[in-house]
Amino acid sequence: METRRYLMCRPTHFAVHYAINPWMDPSVPIDVDLAVAQWTALRDIYTGLGHTVDEIEPIPGLPDMVFAANGATVIDGVAYGALFRHPERAPEAPAYLHWLADAGFDTHAAKEVNEGEGDLLVTDRFVLAATGFRTDLAAHAQAQELFGRPVISLRLVDPRYYHLDTALTTLDGVDGHAIAYLPDAFSPSSQRVLAQLFPDAILASAADAAVLGLNAVGDGHHVVLSAQAAGLARQLRERGYLPVPVDLSELLKAGGGAKCCTLELRSA
Ligand code: ARG
């Protein structure tokens, strides 16, 4: 296990004022203090595991900015900016890109709609890229040009799993390129692609996916995931990983979990 560097955004201004995915219901009350406490527990888990956490200043009026994974994709010191599908989140993209430029990353603004690591996940061999709800197929090609890594396009078909990181997690560990995913979240052809590339992947149950158990963060040994995803935790343990449970119930009301809150900063 190597130590990781993550970027996070405190949910100071977290709210559910609009609904851009089926998890969001603006009539359900939000406890911002609880959201901050749960988020702080996640941050402390990372630092407790030896990882570095940087924080970007939250901006009033951007309630989803806590979901840092959507802010960009960062590989080999190169940052590919986001370009959000929905206007409500659009101002987050330049905020993240500015932070990354100031931090010394080689930043590239996006010309195609993409929601960062929400839809672009990195394994040691590939970048797995989703389309269907948020990210445009054209962004996959742009990512391949920029990163020089093979990009595998996958199609999401279930609106509850609107981002790739809600349906698939990269474990980055003992199997070298292991992943866990919910097959039903993908088109039949994409399921065949995943089965060919990852024949020994962990297949998650519908129940574990429905608590966003797949919205997990692995460092090669530990996997930080929803405390509610007990079955997935057991499957991970059987493969030699160490599940680290976290409760992010307040953020789940916006359709986000641990991975959504976490942008990995991969240096050159
Ligand atoms: N409310 C946010 C949206 O729908 C949640 C984003 C969750 N982030 C993620 N990486 N899946 O855009």
Side-chain angles (χ1 to χ4, degrees):
M1 182 206 106
E2 338 137 31
T3 58
R4 306 293 164 118
R5 183 178 177 195
Y6 299 129
L7 179 60
M8 298 180 72
C9 180
R10 182 179 296 269
T12 314
H13 309 294
F14 179 60
V16 178
H17 289 326
Y18 50 79
I20 56 173
N21 70 53
W23 302 81
M24 302 175 86
D25 177 353
S27 71
V28 171
I30 296 290
D31 182 339
V32 176
D33 292 340
L34 180 56
V36 170
Q38 293 177 336
W39 176 91
T40 303
L42 175 65
R43 188 201 57 189
D44 292 350
I45 285 173
Y46 293 142
T47 54
L49 294 174
H51 304 312
T52 301
V53 176
D54 288 289
E55 289 186 37
I56 182 174
E57 194 64 36
I59 298 174
L62 296 177
D64 275 333
M65 193 172 169
V66 57
F67 300 119
N70 301 130
T73 306
V74 186
I75 308 173
D76 300 331
V78 174
Y80 176 36
L83 184 57
F84 284 87
R85 165 78 47 199
H86 299 98
E88 292 89 341
R89 298 196 65 186
E92 296 178 41
Y96 276 95
L97 214 59
H98 274 129
W99 189 95
L100 290 162
D102 283 350
F105 291 91
D106 173 17
T107 54
H108 297 258
K111 296 184 191 70
E112 315 289 350
V113 173
N114 85 88
E115 298 200 351
E117 279 207 317
D119 276 328
L120 296 164
L121 292 174
V122 181
T123 74
D124 59 355
R125 292 193 296 163
F126 309 112
V127 176
L128 302 178
T131 189
F133 296 101
R134 300 289 180 89
T135 295
D136 279 340
L137 200 53
H140 300 183
Q142 203 181 352
Q144 180 163 288
E145 275 308 302
L146 196 56
F147 295 124
R149 296 205 185 193
V151 172
I152 306 294
S153 291
L154 301 165
R155 182 166 293 275
L156 295 167
V157 296
D158 181 335
R160 285 177 303 165
Y161 307 112
Y162 56 93
H163 275 144
L164 182 61
D165 71 359
T166 63
L168 183 149
T169 188
T170 61
L171 298 166
D172 222 357
V174 287
D175 295 327
H177 49 264
I179 63 168
Y181 66 102
L182 177 71
D184 285 348
F186 296 88
S187 70
S189 298
S190 293
Q191 290 181 34
R192 292 208 298 277
V193 170
L194 286 169
Q196 286 169 58
L197 294 179
F198 303 100
D200 52 5
I202 293 175
L203 303 183
S205 70
D208 288 324
V211 292
L212 289 190
L214 287 164
N215 196 248
V217 178
D219 65 14
H221 179 48
H222 310 96
V223 183
V224 181
L225 83 170
S226 165
Q228 294 167 273
L232 184 57
R234 183 176 37 74
Q235 288 172 291
L236 288 165
R237 234 176 271 113
E238 285 166 8
R239 302 289 188 101
Y241 296 98
L242 190 62
V244 181
V246 65
D247 180 7
L248 296 171
S249 59
E250 248 359 73
L251 296 162
L252 191 62
K253 294 176 179 171
K259 172 57 205 170
C260 297
C261 295
T262 312
L263 176 63
E264 185 164 349
L265 304 176
R266 300 176 187 83
S267 53

